Amino acid sequence: MELAQRLDRLGTETAFAVAQAAAAWTAQGNRVYPFHLGDINIPTAPHIIDAMNRAITDGRTGYCPGPGIPPLREALADDIGARRGTSVKPENVVVMTGGKPVITKFLQAVMNPGQEVLYPNPGFPIYESQIEYLGGTAVPYRYLPTDAGFAIDIEQIRSSITPNTVAIIYNDLQNPISAESTEAEREAIAQLAIEHDLWVLSDEAYFETRYEGESTSITSIPGMAERTVILYTFSKKFAMTGSRLGCAVAPTEVAQVLSTLNTNDESCTTHYVQWAGIAALQGTQEPVAHMLDTLRERRDAACEIVNTISGFRVAIPQSTFYLFPDVTEAMQRKGYTEVGAFAADALHETGVSFCTREHFGRSQPGEDRRYIRLAYSGIDLTDIREGLGTLRDWVNA
């Protein structure tokens, strides 16, 4: 017997492969500093846990509506709409088991086999994986380095759009590179989407994980709300990664399709977890502010040390919890040509575990710089300083 051929097109979230290597090194009795996975080592707030436990005690452990329980859809509509300056109705909200299913179901709703979807590269690897798994053609667009970080290559996007292009995936406040669009860049993406009648998936997982300034959604631009699906997740803002709770905010016709897909795939999102989501949205926001203060402190310490490592260079990001330093000169000094070998030796020599650019999509032609990703969400300040200090000593030696 044979397995389905489409499995050959299925990728994965490759950061988990790095996590396995780190775990194996730890199991051998070695110290590991975990900069590889974007998990959060800050507990979910007590009032959220209390709401979840109370819902279980109250018997909210059975099936519930596929698109989500009405009180959560209403709370999400109010919160998401207010923070983005747009009008969102409960019927536009479809609750899901985290943010990841929004990617798959968006593609199922708008893309036919053989159609093209533009996606950021480097970017969250599930974009590329799901486009190809579902029979589409994944068309990457790149970022260009700037003094402030990275900027989307708008001209590359423009030249990549064909009559067969159906959608663009847009991740403002980006994983892995922490890039944030300028107003002009956001409007350029919107203009291209409107001009070519494209659907847009706006991945806003880190919309509120920011340290300075305010976030802006592409849906606030006239003409975009009716063609855009927002990916929203509780994972990052509320430290609820394991609870698996998120939603799509979509035009009514798409929301109805997403709801039907929910019913086909998992029936519904866990009932009692949805009540925890209501508590997260409507309860005290002090834990969110405290977590941002903690992450800001970690960011500042990490950036300070990284920029003292010979051959490393990184801009200070205003959002997310990732650094994406250019390590080209450091690799050359130490005689490395492959960033994967550099990362493996760094783990074994210093205990610092991190992902590389290659974990976030296939390299594009013409790429001649080498990058790594350091996630500081799952490692305490003391270990950040100790781990990156050890890495600095090894690289600078």
Side-chain angles (χ1 to χ4, degrees):
M1 294 186 292
E2 295 182 355
L3 297 176
Q5 293 179 355
R6 63 178 174 272
L7 294 173
D8 294 336
R9 304 192 299 268
L10 185 65
T12 186
E13 188 170 353
T14 47
F16 287 106
V18 181
Q20 291 176 356
W25 190 241
T26 302
Q28 296 177 36
N30 300 293
R31 177 68 184 275
V32 168
Y33 301 94
F35 288 91
H36 52 271
L37 198 59
D39 203 352
I40 303 173
N41 68 339
I42 299 171
T44 304
H47 73 281
I48 300 174
I49 298 297
D50 290 344
M52 190 183 305
N53 290 335
R54 188 165 55 251
I56 294 172
T57 301
D58 291 344
R60 303 185 191 277
T61 55
Y63 290 126
C64 61
I69 60 175
L72 178 57
R73 297 176 77 190
E74 292 168 6
L76 282 164
D78 290 344
D79 188 80
I80 293 171
R83 294 180 186 278
R84 288 156 181 78
T86 59
S87 175
V88 177
K89 298 179 180 179
E91 55 263 36
N92 299 124
V93 177
V94 182
V95 177
M96 297 191 190
T97 55
K100 231 179 239 183
V102 180
I103 302 169
T104 302
K105 291 171 185 175
F106 166 80
L107 294 169
Q108 288 177 301
V110 309
M111 183 193 76
N112 291 311
Q115 289 184 317
E116 298 169 355
V117 176
L118 293 160
Y119 73 99
N121 184 338
F124 190 47
I126 302 304
Y127 304 147
E128 182 181 80
S129 170
Q130 286 300 300
I131 295 167
E132 295 184 343
Y133 178 69
L134 295 169
T137 300
V139 180
Y141 62 86
R142 64 175 163 253
Y143 288 78
L144 303 173
T146 72
D147 291 340
F150 296 89
I152 294 174
D153 189 340
I154 296 294
E155 290 309 310
Q156 185 194 31
I157 292 182
R158 193 186 311 278
S159 64
S160 298
I161 297 173
T162 75
N164 201 34
T165 305
V166 68
I168 179 170
I169 297 176
Y170 173 58
N171 182 201
D172 201 355
L173 286 71
Q174 208 252 26
N175 174 20
I177 64 178
S178 296
E180 179 179 1
S181 286
T182 62
E183 182 179 355
E185 183 177 275
R186 194 176 300 111
E187 290 180 350
I189 295 290
Q191 181 181 3
L192 288 171
I194 294 170
E195 179 183 346
H196 295 278
D197 196 23
L198 303 179
W199 291 103
V200 176
L201 175 64
S202 182
D203 185 342
E204 300 182 4
Y206 299 92
F207 191 83
E208 289 156 290
T209 306
R210 63 173 310 127
Y211 314 109
E212 293 88 24
E214 295 183 1
S215 298
T216 302
S217 174
I218 198 169
T219 57
S220 65
I221 298 175
M224 289 306 296
E226 55 263 41
R227 66 177 62 252
T228 302
V229 173
I230 294 174
L231 183 159
Y232 177 95
T233 176
F234 286 77
S235 294
K236 314 304 181 184
K237 178 180 178 181
F238 297 108
M240 294 175 66
T241 54
S243 297
R244 308 315 305 141
L245 184 63
C247 78
V249 178
T252 303
E253 62 173 329
V254 179
Q256 291 171 347
V257 174
L258 298 178
S259 178
T260 301
L261 288 169
N262 274 9
T263 302
N264 276 265
D265 285 354
E266 67 276 339
S267 296
C268 58
T269 300
T270 304
H271 194 174
Y272 52 83
V273 172
Q274 295 191 52
W275 288 95
I278 296 170
L281 291 167
Q282 297 182 341
T284 176
Q285 300 301 297
E286 287 185 9
V288 175
H290 177 71
M291 181 168 67
L292 285 174
D293 288 342
T294 299
L295 292 173
R296 182 187 296 107
E297 192 174 24
R298 294 179 184 181
R299 177 204 63 176
D300 292 346
C303 286
E304 181 181 0
I305 298 172
V306 165
N307 280 322
T308 65
I309 301 176
S310 181
F312 277 46
R313 184 172 67 254
V314 69
I316 300 176
Q318 294 186 337
S319 62
T320 80
F321 36 66
Y322 307 110
L323 303 182
F324 201 68
D326 184 328
V327 299
T328 308
E329 278 75 28
M331 286 178 54
Q332 291 172 348
R333 284 183 57 256
K334 294 191 73 69
Y336 289 95
T337 58
E338 297 294 333
V339 70
F342 176 72
D345 284 356
L347 172 63
H348 298 149
E349 296 293 332
T350 73
V352 176
S353 177
F354 52 78
C355 295
T356 72
R357 183 265 179 268
E358 278 65 26
H359 291 102
F360 301 98
R362 304 181 188 102
S363 296
Q364 298 187 56
E367 288 191 29
D368 58 359
R369 308 298 296 179
R370 300 291 179 262
Y371 296 90
I372 64 172
R373 190 195 75 169
L374 299 166
Y376 51 85
S377 55
I379 180 168
D380 291 333
L381 186 62
T382 299
D383 287 344
I384 287 174
R385 288 173 171 153
E386 184 176 310
L388 293 180
T390 304
L391 180 67
R392 177 178 56 196
D393 292 343
W394 176 67
V395 172
N396 291 355

